[in-house]
Amino acid sequence: MTKIAVASIKENVAENFGDCSNFNIFEVENEQPGKAKFVPNPGRSGYLPSFLNNMKVDVLIAGKMGENMVNSLKEKGIKIVLGAGGSAQEVAQAYLQGTLK
């Protein structure tokens, strides 16, 4: 089962990854994002790659993100999708439809 994490501020994508207060985690069912699981950001950026990997996240969607964080997440096997904005639910759906730009 695929898990998508959206770096968020409440229900919306955080413009900058470092500003996210929480992650909306979606388990994909029948090519649709399930109900979001709200997970608070543990607040230590160096810990986030392991934190997300331990949660079995496959894809991380965010607005902007620094190169070091991108590389750290990729080393954990997490696919990164940047440039997103709007509702976390909508961007997860757009990702699954292949329309997230």
Side-chain angles (χ1 to χ4, degrees):
M1 178 179 299
T2 301
K3 276 192 181 178
I4 300 172
V6 181
S8 305
I9 298 175
K10 296 185 182 176
E11 305 299 324
N12 293 309
V13 179
E15 184 175 330
N16 294 303
F17 180 75
D19 295 335
C20 82
S21 60
N22 62 282
F23 296 94
N24 285 291
I25 310 287
F26 300 93
E27 290 189 6
V28 178
E29 303 166 6
N30 301 319
E31 295 301 312
Q32 298 292 319
K35 184 179 178 194
K37 178 179 177 185
F38 183 92
V39 178
N41 183 342
R44 296 175 291 167
S45 63
Y47 173 67
L48 287 175
S50 292
F51 175 77
L52 293 168
N53 185 56
N54 289 341
M55 292 188 64
K56 308 278 190 245
V57 167
D58 301 295
V59 178
L60 175 66
I61 300 172
K64 300 176 195 169
M65 182 183 299
E67 186 176 344
N68 288 340
M69 182 59 71
V70 168
N71 291 335
S72 294
L73 289 161
K74 284 183 177 179
E75 286 174 8
K76 296 290 186 184
I78 298 172
K79 180 179 179 179
I80 310 300
V81 179
L82 300 176
S87 155
Q89 180 81 33
E90 290 173 3
V91 298
Q93 181 68 47
Y95 171 77
L96 291 170
Q97 294 173 342
T99 60
L100 185 60
K101 306 233 182 260

